[in-house]
Amino acid sequence: MSAPHLAFVLAAGQSKRMRSKTPKILHPCAGKPLLRWSLDAAIAAGARPVVVLSPEIEAAIREILPPGTAVAIQSTMRGTGDAVRVAVEASDARGGEVFVLYGDTPTLSPSTLERLRALRAERGAALALLTAKVGTENGYGRIVRDAAGDVQRIVEVRLATAEERQLPESNLGAYAIDLAWLRDAIARLAPNATGEVFFTDIVAVAIAAGKPVAAFCTPDPGEGMGVNTRVELAAAEMILRRRIREKLMLEGVTFHDPESTQVDDTVRVAADTVIERGCVLEGATVIGADTRVGPYSILRDTTVGARCIVEASVLEGATLEDDVRIGPFSHLRPGAYLEQGVGMGNFGEVKAARLRKGTKMHHFSYIGDADVGERVNIGAGTITMNYDGANKHRTTIGNDAFIGSDTLLRAPITIGEGAMTGAGAVVTKDVAPGMLAVGVPARSIKKAEKKIKT
Ligand code: UD1
Ligand code: MG
């Protein structure tokens, strides 16, 4: 059996170039903290991560770590070489392979890591690293090759000569390494003229010891790019968002004008659903099949069933069963639960309320903290007055009730099955099943006694 595969993910450092009070690796990127991308890529490639953190950020970062991630603390930022030494000392695995990754490379793909692993095995190399030809206007370490084309060392831009800075190939900073060899070799890294220990010097250490080094130069633009500034953060986010949309398209989701829509990595969409232009799909959102979302809708942590239509609306923490129609211009807030066939139209808001099967609420209404039965009609301008200034109260409306236009329902209140309210009623007392409540404040009368003139 092969030894367990590890990934050392470096995430200490000061991230000064972000000019932010938030640590760089906690900045969101396509719906996940930056650091999660490197960790998730390592896990997807079959490795167990050991993340190197500085003591100041440890507590904040522990919260976003995937289960099973080990933590090693680098107490003083002495450079990436020192950070790897900390990880080596914190792990007790002796043999096998380790990926050394940086916490600021969100576009690094699991398939690239697998490629590095395969390349190292194929060449019998101590180390395989990821490179790219991305021009010379960047801060990446430069790859120095000998006349035969073999990698000799990496020179950091800060220490490079003008000539070395023009070298066409850059270090993207992902490495697959023989762990037993690394345990021994890490002690041979020394501080350089900047006072830091650069992990990149590990290549020269390998070459000096006669160990082969392999490099995979990715042809994929943007793959494994480093994020040191907010400009690079935005560029990486664009790449990730394009990949997320393309994956969904290949799974059968149609996007109208894909560039105008942003979808988090955490969102799931079923086949034959259409996402129209200008949508934002965030968090734990799940969308069923044959549904149409947009144009211009925001869905956050929301579950949408099959065959729904959600047009120009904002849905947060809501659940829609199948065949629900929302919008345009509806707002669903946390705890809104719309059962099958519910229809909700212009300028409606629902919060912490269940609308049962077939209920319609088409215009200008607010339903909060409520349980609304099946086939209820909520007339235009109906408001549940759920808040008395101190507490929230619930409204219950029975099946087949008909709530007239402009009804105010002062909670706590129950409207019985099949009951009705007249237009403009201010209902302050429960209405029994089958009764009609009219007036301000409303009084209940038997429906049959009252003929509504039309
Ligand atoms: C590094 C590489 C560079 C490569 C680039 C790719 C080195 C010396 N340079 O440069 O060759 O082209 O990444 O993106 O490795 N960190 C620690 N402890 C430290 C210092 C840094 O954990 O003492 C962590 C940081 O949090 C970061 C990662 O290591 O996630 C890389 O550090 P960073 O300062 O971003 O290095 P780059 O200048 O980008
Ligand atoms: Mg970096």
Side-chain angles (χ1 to χ4, degrees):
M1 218 181 81
S2 62
H5 202 105
L6 292 180
F8 298 156
V9 181
L10 313 190
Q14 293 164 321
S15 51
K16 284 188 197 142
R17 287 166 280 183
M18 289 293 279
R19 297 183 184 271
S20 176
K21 53 187 179 309
T22 306
K24 170 170 76 179
I25 50 171
L26 278 185
H27 275 256
C29 191
K32 295 203 284 203
L34 200 58
L35 173 64
R36 273 303 292 255
W37 288 97
S38 299
L39 294 173
D40 290 348
I43 292 168
R48 191 171 63 78
V50 178
V51 63
V52 180
L53 301 176
S54 51
E56 309 83 64
I57 59 173
E58 183 194 350
I61 287 169
R62 269 189 189 274
E63 288 179 24
I64 61 114
L65 296 179
T69 305
V71 171
I73 301 295
Q74 185 189 18
S75 43
T76 316
M77 300 308 107
R78 295 200 184 90
T80 51
D82 182 63
V84 174
R85 179 191 57 76
V86 168
V88 167
E89 284 169 9
S91 61
D92 22 81
R94 303 274 133 196
E97 187 173 44
V98 63
F99 293 131
V100 172
L101 311 176
Y102 300 147
D104 63 353
T105 57
T107 66
L108 181 66
S109 311
S111 58
T112 298
L113 291 177
E114 272 151 20
R115 187 93 187 239
L116 285 178
R117 175 191 287 163
L119 178 71
R120 193 180 80 80
E122 196 182 294
R123 300 277 170 86
L127 180 153
L129 71 150
L130 180 64
T131 70
K133 292 192 173 157
V134 284
T136 54
E137 292 303 308
N138 57 60
Y140 291 123
R142 303 292 195 257
I143 305 296
V144 181
R145 291 181 181 259
D146 64 10
D150 292 327
V151 175
Q152 293 299 297
R153 62 191 170 92
I154 300 170
V155 57
E156 288 302 298
V157 166
R158 279 185 280 171
L159 300 178
T161 61
E163 202 178 321
E164 285 168 336
R165 254 181 245 147
Q166 295 311 310
L167 287 168
E169 192 180 5
S170 293
N171 172 37
L172 290 185
Y175 319 81
I177 311 179
D178 174 348
L179 181 55
W181 175 78
L182 180 65
R183 277 195 167 276
D184 179 49
I186 195 77
R188 277 176 262 152
L189 291 183
N192 55 43
T194 68
E196 278 185 51
V197 184
F198 287 172
F199 182 65
T200 40
D201 290 340
I202 201 75
V203 172
V205 168
I207 298 297
K211 296 279 178 188
V213 170
F216 166 52
C217 183
T218 176
D220 182 359
E223 170 66 17
M225 68 172 284
V227 171
N228 297 313
T229 65
R230 296 192 200 228
V231 175
E232 289 158 351
L233 179 68
E237 177 142 11
M238 294 255 297
I239 291 167
L240 292 168
R241 293 211 180 275
R242 186 178 323 118
R243 285 184 189 170
I244 292 166
R245 289 188 303 259
E246 285 176 1
K247 180 167 175 282
L248 288 171
M249 287 186 232
L250 293 172
E251 288 170 3
V253 179
T254 296
F255 282 79
H256 294 174
D257 192 5
E259 299 278 298
S260 71
T261 281
Q262 69 176 58
V263 185
D264 284 356
D265 187 50
T266 42
V267 170
R268 300 285 163 265
V269 187
D272 283 326
T273 276
V274 177
I275 311 293
E276 298 199 38
R277 81 186 319 272
C279 292
V280 177
L281 310 179
E282 292 184 344
T285 293
V286 179
I287 303 174
D290 301 304
T291 279
R292 180 161 69 78
V293 178
Y296 305 108
S297 289
I298 301 173
L299 274 63
R300 190 171 293 136
D301 300 324
T302 284
T303 300
V304 179
R307 301 175 302 279
C308 294
I309 296 175
V310 177
E311 202 169 80
S313 291
V314 178
L315 281 57
E316 309 168 87
T319 306
L320 276 56
E321 293 186 351
D322 298 340
D323 306 297
V324 171
R325 292 186 70 124
I326 298 286
F329 316 121
S330 300
H331 186 188
L332 296 186
R333 291 171 46 209
Y337 190 108
L338 275 47
E339 292 190 2
Q340 190 184 16
V342 165
M344 185 176 160
N346 310 277
F347 308 105
E349 176 177 336
V350 174
K351 183 216 79 171
R354 191 171 186 111
L355 271 53
R356 293 179 193 271
K357 285 193 180 61
T359 282
K360 305 287 181 231
M361 170 183 164
H362 282 308
H363 334 265
F364 308 106
S365 292
Y366 169 63
I367 299 292
D369 301 303
D371 188 335
V372 179
E374 296 180 7
R375 299 171 302 278
V376 171
N377 183 78
I378 308 227
T382 296
I383 305 287
T384 52
M385 300 191 289
N386 56 334
Y387 186 52
D388 62 11
N391 295 302
K392 297 277 173 66
H393 300 284
R394 293 196 67 79
T395 297
T396 304
I397 302 177
N399 294 342
D400 301 299
F402 186 98
I403 309 298
S405 293
D406 234 352
T407 296
L408 301 185
L409 299 164
R410 193 184 68 185
I413 197 159
T414 299
I415 309 296
E417 272 196 30
M420 201 171 182
T421 67
V426 176
V427 188
T428 57
K429 292 191 189 125
D430 290 354
V431 181
M435 297 293 279
L436 167 67
V438 289
V440 180
R443 58 198 168 77
S444 286
I445 51 180
K446 279 209 182 108
K447 264 207 252 179
E449 284 176 10
K450 173 88 180 169
K451 290 230 165 32
I452 302 170
K453 285 189 184 142
T454 50

mmCIF file of all heavy atoms in Angstrom, residues 317-348:
data_model
loop_
_atom_site.group_PDB
_atom_site.id
_atom_site.type_symbol
_atom_site.label_atom_id
_atom_site.label_comp_id
_atom_site.label_asym_id
_atom_site.label_seq_id
_atom_site.Cartn_x
_atom_site.Cartn_y
_atom_site.Cartn_z
ATOM 1 N N GLY A 317 -32.422 32.515 1.226
ATOM 2 C CA GLY A 317 -32.780 31.515 2.231
ATOM 3 C C GLY A 317 -34.191 30.984 2.051
ATOM 4 O O GLY A 317 -34.859 30.651 3.018
ATOM 5 N N ALA A 318 -34.640 30.901 0.804
ATOM 6 C CA ALA A 318 -36.024 30.496 0.531
ATOM 7 C C ALA A 318 -36.068 29.093 -0.078
ATOM 8 O O ALA A 318 -35.062 28.588 -0.560
ATOM 9 C CB ALA A 318 -36.670 31.485 -0.436
ATOM 10 N N THR A 319 -37.263 28.487 -0.022
ATOM 11 C CA THR A 319 -37.465 27.181 -0.665
ATOM 12 C C THR A 319 -38.687 27.265 -1.564
ATOM 13 O O THR A 319 -39.748 27.713 -1.128
ATOM 14 C CB THR A 319 -37.686 26.076 0.390
ATOM 15 O OG1 THR A 319 -36.597 26.112 1.304
ATOM 16 C CG2 THR A 319 -37.776 24.703 -0.252
ATOM 17 N N LEU A 320 -38.554 26.831 -2.800
ATOM 18 C CA LEU A 320 -39.664 26.774 -3.747
ATOM 19 C C LEU A 320 -39.824 25.326 -4.172
ATOM 20 O O LEU A 320 -38.864 24.711 -4.633
ATOM 21 C CB LEU A 320 -39.348 27.591 -5.006
ATOM 22 C CG LEU A 320 -39.602 29.097 -5.019
ATOM 23 C CD1 LEU A 320 -38.863 29.790 -3.894
ATOM 24 C CD2 LEU A 320 -39.165 29.689 -6.351
ATOM 25 N N GLU A 321 -41.020 24.785 -4.025
ATOM 26 C CA GLU A 321 -41.260 23.451 -4.570
ATOM 27 C C GLU A 321 -41.418 23.568 -6.092
ATOM 28 O O GLU A 321 -41.149 24.611 -6.658
ATOM 29 C CB GLU A 321 -42.499 22.831 -3.912
ATOM 30 C CG GLU A 321 -42.272 22.531 -2.430
ATOM 31 C CD GLU A 321 -43.439 21.769 -1.794
ATOM 32 O OE1 GLU A 321 -44.487 21.615 -2.447
ATOM 33 O OE2 GLU A 321 -43.293 21.334 -0.633
ATOM 34 N N ASP A 322 -41.914 22.514 -6.739
ATOM 35 C CA ASP A 322 -42.027 22.522 -8.201
ATOM 36 C C ASP A 322 -43.137 23.478 -8.667
ATOM 37 O O ASP A 322 -44.078 23.775 -7.933
ATOM 38 C CB ASP A 322 -42.368 21.113 -8.707
ATOM 39 C CG ASP A 322 -41.276 20.117 -8.357
ATOM 40 O OD1 ASP A 322 -40.138 20.542 -8.082
ATOM 41 O OD2 ASP A 322 -41.585 18.912 -8.353
ATOM 42 N N ASP A 323 -43.038 23.915 -9.914
ATOM 43 C CA ASP A 323 -44.099 24.673 -10.605
ATOM 44 C C ASP A 323 -44.465 25.978 -9.910
ATOM 45 O O ASP A 323 -45.623 26.407 -9.952
ATOM 46 C CB ASP A 323 -45.367 23.811 -10.749
ATOM 47 C CG ASP A 323 -45.069 22.482 -11.413
ATOM 48 O OD1 ASP A 323 -44.651 22.497 -12.576
ATOM 49 O OD2 ASP A 323 -45.217 21.428 -10.746
ATOM 50 N N VAL A 324 -43.521 26.613 -9.267
ATOM 51 C CA VAL A 324 -43.780 27.908 -8.609
ATOM 52 C C VAL A 324 -43.389 29.023 -9.583
ATOM 53 O O VAL A 324 -42.411 28.905 -10.308
ATOM 54 C CB VAL A 324 -42.960 28.013 -7.296
ATOM 55 C CG1 VAL A 324 -43.037 29.415 -6.704
ATOM 56 C CG2 VAL A 324 -43.451 26.984 -6.285
ATOM 57 N N ARG A 325 -44.171 30.093 -9.587
ATOM 58 C CA ARG A 325 -43.860 31.258 -10.442
ATOM 59 C C ARG A 325 -43.642 32.469 -9.553
ATOM 60 O O ARG A 325 -44.514 32.821 -8.762
ATOM 61 C CB ARG A 325 -45.032 31.570 -11.375
ATOM 62 C CG ARG A 325 -45.271 30.530 -12.433
ATOM 63 C CD ARG A 325 -46.353 31.035 -13.364
ATOM 64 N NE ARG A 325 -45.847 32.145 -14.157
ATOM 65 C CZ ARG A 325 -45.863 32.165 -15.479
ATOM 66 N NH1 ARG A 325 -46.378 31.172 -16.150
ATOM 67 N NH2 ARG A 325 -45.396 33.209 -16.143
ATOM 68 N N ILE A 326 -42.514 33.110 -9.729
ATOM 69 C CA ILE A 326 -42.156 34.254 -8.885
ATOM 70 C C ILE A 326 -41.813 35.443 -9.770
ATOM 71 O O ILE A 326 -41.072 35.307 -10.733
ATOM 72 C CB ILE A 326 -40.879 33.936 -8.062
ATOM 73 C CG1 ILE A 326 -41.107 32.771 -7.136
ATOM 74 C CG2 ILE A 326 -40.398 35.137 -7.279
ATOM 75 C CD1 ILE A 326 -41.941 33.128 -5.966
ATOM 76 N N GLY A 327 -42.307 36.613 -9.391
ATOM 77 C CA GLY A 327 -41.857 37.839 -10.028
ATOM 78 C C GLY A 327 -42.746 38.272 -11.170
ATOM 79 O O GLY A 327 -43.774 37.648 -11.424
ATOM 80 N N PRO A 328 -42.413 39.345 -11.827
ATOM 81 C CA PRO A 328 -41.192 40.102 -11.590
ATOM 82 C C PRO A 328 -41.262 40.894 -10.281
ATOM 83 O O PRO A 328 -42.336 41.189 -9.781
ATOM 84 C CB PRO A 328 -41.121 41.052 -12.786
ATOM 85 C CG PRO A 328 -42.540 41.207 -13.228
ATOM 86 C CD PRO A 328 -43.199 39.893 -12.933
ATOM 87 N N PHE A 329 -40.085 41.192 -9.748
ATOM 88 C CA PHE A 329 -39.914 42.073 -8.577
ATOM 89 C C PHE A 329 -40.520 41.523 -7.283
ATOM 90 O O PHE A 329 -41.247 42.224 -6.577
ATOM 91 C CB PHE A 329 -40.449 43.484 -8.862
ATOM 92 C CG PHE A 329 -40.047 43.991 -10.209
ATOM 93 C CD1 PHE A 329 -40.986 44.360 -11.147
ATOM 94 C CD2 PHE A 329 -38.706 44.062 -10.555
ATOM 95 C CE1 PHE A 329 -40.620 44.794 -12.404
ATOM 96 C CE2 PHE A 329 -38.322 44.492 -11.812
ATOM 97 C CZ PHE A 329 -39.275 44.867 -12.736
ATOM 98 N N SER A 330 -40.245 40.276 -7.005
ATOM 99 C CA SER A 330 -40.650 39.708 -5.712
ATOM 100 C C SER A 330 -39.417 39.559 -4.841
ATOM 101 O O SER A 330 -38.300 39.437 -5.348
ATOM 102 C CB SER A 330 -41.277 38.325 -5.902
ATOM 103 O OG SER A 330 -42.409 38.412 -6.725
ATOM 104 N N HIS A 331 -39.650 39.531 -3.531
ATOM 105 C CA HIS A 331 -38.538 39.374 -2.593
ATOM 106 C C HIS A 331 -38.893 38.267 -1.599
ATOM 107 O O HIS A 331 -39.850 38.408 -0.840
ATOM 108 C CB HIS A 331 -38.295 40.708 -1.862
ATOM 109 C CG HIS A 331 -37.084 40.690 -0.988
ATOM 110 N ND1 HIS A 331 -36.774 41.715 -0.121
ATOM 111 C CD2 HIS A 331 -36.082 39.783 -0.849
ATOM 112 C CE1 HIS A 331 -35.646 41.430 0.518
ATOM 113 N NE2 HIS A 331 -35.209 40.263 0.096
ATOM 114 N N LEU A 332 -38.116 37.191 -1.642
ATOM 115 C CA LEU A 332 -38.303 36.123 -0.658
ATOM 116 C C LEU A 332 -37.158 36.196 0.330
ATOM 117 O O LEU A 332 -35.997 36.204 -0.062
ATOM 118 C CB LEU A 332 -38.291 34.753 -1.327
ATOM 119 C CG LEU A 332 -39.414 34.475 -2.318
ATOM 120 C CD1 LEU A 332 -39.362 33.030 -2.782
ATOM 121 C CD2 LEU A 332 -40.764 34.758 -1.684
ATOM 122 N N ARG A 333 -37.508 36.230 1.603
ATOM 123 C CA ARG A 333 -36.488 36.327 2.645
ATOM 124 C C ARG A 333 -36.386 35.011 3.408
ATOM 125 O O ARG A 333 -37.211 34.119 3.214
ATOM 126 C CB ARG A 333 -36.810 37.521 3.549
ATOM 127 C CG ARG A 333 -36.613 38.855 2.787
ATOM 128 C CD ARG A 333 -37.119 40.030 3.569
ATOM 129 N NE ARG A 333 -36.682 39.967 4.954
ATOM 130 C CZ ARG A 333 -37.364 40.484 5.986
ATOM 131 N NH1 ARG A 333 -38.507 41.101 5.781
ATOM 132 N NH2 ARG A 333 -36.900 40.382 7.213
ATOM 133 N N PRO A 334 -35.377 34.887 4.306
ATOM 134 C CA PRO A 334 -35.155 33.588 4.941
ATOM 135 C C PRO A 334 -36.414 32.979 5.550
ATOM 136 O O PRO A 334 -37.218 33.658 6.185
ATOM 137 C CB PRO A 334 -34.102 33.906 6.002
ATOM 138 C CG PRO A 334 -33.314 35.011 5.373
ATOM 139 C CD PRO A 334 -34.330 35.855 4.645
ATOM 140 N N GLY A 335 -36.567 31.687 5.301
ATOM 141 C CA GLY A 335 -37.695 30.959 5.859
ATOM 142 C C GLY A 335 -38.941 31.008 4.989
ATOM 143 O O GLY A 335 -39.960 30.438 5.348
ATOM 144 N N ALA A 336 -38.863 31.652 3.841
ATOM 145 C CA ALA A 336 -40.005 31.638 2.923
ATOM 146 C C ALA A 336 -40.071 30.245 2.306
ATOM 147 O O ALA A 336 -39.070 29.742 1.806
ATOM 148 C CB ALA A 336 -39.824 32.692 1.835
ATOM 149 N N TYR A 337 -41.242 29.608 2.370
ATOM 150 C CA TYR A 337 -41.401 28.259 1.813
ATOM 151 C C TYR A 337 -42.647 28.252 0.951
ATOM 152 O O TYR A 337 -43.766 28.406 1.447
ATOM 153 C CB TYR A 337 -41.507 27.218 2.936
ATOM 154 C CG TYR A 337 -41.422 25.803 2.424
ATOM 155 C CD1 TYR A 337 -40.288 25.032 2.653
ATOM 156 C CD2 TYR A 337 -42.463 25.240 1.699
ATOM 157 C CE1 TYR A 337 -40.198 23.732 2.155
ATOM 158 C CE2 TYR A 337 -42.383 23.954 1.191
ATOM 159 C CZ TYR A 337 -41.259 23.212 1.430
ATOM 160 O OH TYR A 337 -41.154 21.926 0.932
ATOM 161 N N LEU A 338 -42.457 28.096 -0.345
ATOM 162 C CA LEU A 338 -43.583 28.153 -1.279
ATOM 163 C C LEU A 338 -43.824 26.751 -1.843
ATOM 164 O O LEU A 338 -42.962 26.189 -2.516
ATOM 165 C CB LEU A 338 -43.265 29.139 -2.415
ATOM 166 C CG LEU A 338 -43.578 30.623 -2.139
ATOM 167 C CD1 LEU A 338 -43.087 31.097 -0.791
ATOM 168 C CD2 LEU A 338 -43.050 31.511 -3.241
ATOM 169 N N GLU A 339 -44.997 26.209 -1.537
ATOM 170 C CA GLU A 339 -45.295 24.852 -1.993
ATOM 171 C C GLU A 339 -45.645 24.843 -3.482
ATOM 172 O O GLU A 339 -45.773 25.883 -4.124
ATOM 173 C CB GLU A 339 -46.437 24.258 -1.166
ATOM 174 C CG GLU A 339 -46.040 24.001 0.274
ATOM 175 C CD GLU A 339 -47.093 23.184 1.024
ATOM 176 O OE1 GLU A 339 -48.110 22.794 0.424
ATOM 177 O OE2 GLU A 339 -46.888 22.946 2.234
ATOM 178 N N GLN A 340 -45.883 23.639 -3.972
ATOM 179 C CA GLN A 340 -46.096 23.454 -5.402
ATOM 180 C C GLN A 340 -47.189 24.357 -5.965
ATOM 181 O O GLN A 340 -48.246 24.530 -5.364
ATOM 182 C CB GLN A 340 -46.470 22.011 -5.672
ATOM 183 C CG GLN A 340 -46.451 21.719 -7.164
ATOM 184 C CD GLN A 340 -46.911 20.319 -7.450
ATOM 185 O OE1 GLN A 340 -47.512 19.664 -6.596
ATOM 186 N NE2 GLN A 340 -46.640 19.860 -8.639
ATOM 187 N N GLY A 341 -46.903 24.951 -7.096
ATOM 188 C CA GLY A 341 -47.900 25.709 -7.825
ATOM 189 C C GLY A 341 -48.211 27.083 -7.255
ATOM 190 O O GLY A 341 -49.139 27.750 -7.724
ATOM 191 N N VAL A 342 -47.460 27.543 -6.264
ATOM 192 C CA VAL A 342 -47.706 28.884 -5.725
ATOM 193 C C VAL A 342 -47.319 29.919 -6.779
ATOM 194 O O VAL A 342 -46.376 29.729 -7.547
ATOM 195 C CB VAL A 342 -46.906 29.106 -4.415
ATOM 196 C CG1 VAL A 342 -46.842 30.588 -4.027
ATOM 197 C CG2 VAL A 342 -47.535 28.291 -3.275
ATOM 198 N N GLY A 343 -48.092 31.017 -6.820
ATOM 199 C CA GLY A 343 -47.766 32.105 -7.745
ATOM 200 C C GLY A 343 -47.612 33.394 -6.962
ATOM 201 O O GLY A 343 -48.403 33.690 -6.066
ATOM 202 N N MET A 344 -46.578 34.133 -7.266
ATOM 203 C CA MET A 344 -46.317 35.363 -6.514
ATOM 204 C C MET A 344 -45.831 36.409 -7.512
ATOM 205 O O MET A 344 -44.917 36.148 -8.287
ATOM 206 C CB MET A 344 -45.237 35.044 -5.488
ATOM 207 C CG MET A 344 -44.948 36.170 -4.565
ATOM 208 S SD MET A 344 -43.736 35.609 -3.347
ATOM 209 C CE MET A 344 -43.150 37.206 -2.841
ATOM 210 N N GLY A 345 -46.456 37.567 -7.469
ATOM 211 C CA GLY A 345 -46.159 38.534 -8.526
ATOM 212 C C GLY A 345 -45.464 39.787 -8.056
ATOM 213 O O GLY A 345 -44.638 39.752 -7.159
ATOM 214 N N ASN A 346 -45.856 40.879 -8.659
ATOM 215 C CA ASN A 346 -45.150 42.145 -8.490
ATOM 216 C C ASN A 346 -45.076 42.617 -7.053
ATOM 217 O O ASN A 346 -46.075 42.681 -6.358
ATOM 218 C CB ASN A 346 -45.875 43.266 -9.247
ATOM 219 C CG ASN A 346 -46.164 42.851 -10.653
ATOM 220 O OD1 ASN A 346 -45.312 42.949 -11.504
ATOM 221 N ND2 ASN A 346 -47.356 42.337 -10.869
ATOM 222 N N PHE A 347 -43.906 43.018 -6.644
ATOM 223 C CA PHE A 347 -43.692 43.715 -5.374
ATOM 224 C C PHE A 347 -44.276 42.996 -4.171
ATOM 225 O O PHE A 347 -44.881 43.608 -3.303
ATOM 226 C CB PHE A 347 -44.221 45.165 -5.463
ATOM 227 C CG PHE A 347 -43.665 45.869 -6.671
ATOM 228 C CD1 PHE A 347 -44.430 46.089 -7.790
ATOM 229 C CD2 PHE A 347 -42.337 46.256 -6.688
ATOM 230 C CE1 PHE A 347 -43.900 46.683 -8.917
ATOM 231 C CE2 PHE A 347 -41.793 46.854 -7.815
ATOM 232 C CZ PHE A 347 -42.573 47.077 -8.927
ATOM 233 N N GLY A 348 -44.112 41.700 -4.124
ATOM 234 C CA GLY A 348 -44.516 40.927 -2.951
ATOM 235 C C GLY A 348 -43.292 40.577 -2.130
ATOM 236 O O GLY A 348 -42.194 40.436 -2.671
#
